[in-house]
Amino acid sequence: LTDENLANSLSTESDIEKSFTDIQGTEAAAPPGGPPPGPSSITDTLSPGDAPSSAFENPDDVPKPNVEPQQLGKLDENLVTRDENGLITHVRDQPVKDYANDLGAERRSAYRAAKEDKTLPRAQQGNSMSVGIDRRTGNVYEGTNGVAENVIPDEDVHPTVRANVDAMRDSGPYSRDDGPPSHEFPHPDQPLGHGEVKATNLAMWDRTAQGLPDGKDALSEIIQSPQFPFLRGGGPASFCANCTGTLDGVESATGRHIAYPPSDSTLVP
């Protein structure tokens, strides 16, 4: 997403947020439509039966926040609408993009709660998490940034994701603004450390195991909703330039940055 891993080495949440603001400037800019919401979200006032996760086949058995990528569940087929290509377009008559963002807000609140009840300390979570939906299988995934060293091991990188990373590297080196080339990837950070990348990587391996298409075209059937549980009070986050390249083809429900440093001019809604 942004240079979250830089902040992970700081000692307190206030240090993290101050450093992030001072160093990154507009990197965590909210998507178009206004500033991100504060800690409260629409999910705070919903009954369990109205929560976005209640559309899962396993509404009473949704995994708790975790630093490892995980499958949260599978959408109840009776609650989804599919198009002529078999892809989910709506969940409970809600456009899948809007549903993904509502689910992201629900899970963002879960990560805040995990910090408060000490089941998953803030320092272990990193600065962002993401929920992803495979619109063909109906499977729902989640990934978090975690600490700086928490990246996808080389042997676990799906070939399709690896091909995108290699293509990014081959197009480098990259510069900050109009400066000299200074970093290997568009955003000066590890491209395999961000939550939406981890969630997508897991989804692609599941497709491989099921014998489903798992090449570059399959990425377009996945939608991600990255979220900041804590930074700037919590809210949606956009793909950074690395995630835009690493997940080339994946839809971002919260927008994407196409260059570094991120700004309003680099944001594609």
Side-chain angles (χ1 to χ4, degrees):
L1 286 162
T2 51
D3 208 356
E4 305 94 334
N5 291 330
L6 172 67
N8 287 333
S9 63
L10 301 174
S11 58
T12 67
E13 185 172 331
S14 61
D15 287 341
I16 290 172
E17 294 191 359
K18 182 178 186 303
S19 176
F20 187 90
T21 301
D22 291 347
I23 297 173
Q24 304 303 334
T26 60
E27 290 198 32
S40 296
S41 73
I42 60 168
T43 60
D44 294 334
T45 58
L46 293 178
S47 66
D50 293 327
S53 62
S54 67
F56 295 177
E57 291 181 348
N58 55 306
D60 298 322
D61 191 29
V62 179
K64 295 180 179 180
N66 197 325
V67 295
E68 297 299 326
Q70 59 185 352
Q71 182 177 340
L72 292 179
K74 184 181 179 69
L75 291 171
D76 186 333
E77 192 64 28
N78 294 317
L79 300 177
V80 303
T81 303
R82 295 179 180 270
D83 64 15
E84 63 277 9
N85 296 312
L87 299 179
I88 294 171
T89 61
H90 292 74
V91 181
R92 287 179 172 154
D93 297 324
Q94 182 181 29
V96 67
K97 178 178 178 179
D98 296 338
Y99 172 80
N101 282 334
D102 282 354
L103 180 62
E106 178 187 348
R107 294 300 292 178
R108 181 178 79 218
S109 295
Y111 277 81
R112 294 181 66 90
K115 174 208 167 187
E116 295 303 322
D117 65 21
K118 297 181 172 54
T119 57
L120 187 61
R122 167 75 173 95
Q124 294 180 22
Q125 293 188 27
N127 289 330
S128 65
M129 47 72 60
S130 185
V131 296
I133 301 170
D134 186 322
R135 298 194 300 124
R136 183 166 299 281
T137 66
N139 290 339
V140 183
Y141 300 89
E142 181 175 83
T144 63
N145 283 35
V147 299
E149 297 78 18
N150 190 355
V151 300
I152 303 172
D154 184 69
E155 64 272 17
D156 292 340
V157 180
H158 190 276
T160 300
V161 174
R162 186 188 303 279
N164 277 352
V165 173
D166 290 345
M168 268 200 312
R169 182 187 293 109
D170 292 345
S171 296
Y174 298 88
S175 306
R176 180 187 177 106
D177 293 324
D178 295 326
S182 59
H183 39 277
E184 185 177 19
F185 296 105
H187 186 105
D189 197 7
Q190 167 54 256
L192 296 174
H194 293 180
E196 59 268 57
V197 174
K198 296 172 182 177
T200 299
N201 190 69
L202 180 57
M204 294 298 285
W205 279 120
D206 279 355
R207 278 177 164 253
T208 300
Q210 296 173 52
L212 294 172
D214 62 355
K216 180 67 177 286
D217 290 346
L219 292 174
S220 66
E221 299 181 357
I222 296 172
I223 184 170
Q224 290 284 341
S225 178
Q227 303 285 326
F228 288 134
F230 305 101
L231 291 177
R232 301 184 178 179
S238 305
F239 281 10
C240 75
N242 278 358
C243 291
T244 294
T246 304
L247 301 181
D248 183 26
V250 173
E251 180 179 358
S252 172
T254 56
R256 64 182 67 238
H257 287 283
I258 58 174
Y260 177 87
S263 66
D264 288 345
S265 65
T266 68
L267 181 64
V268 177

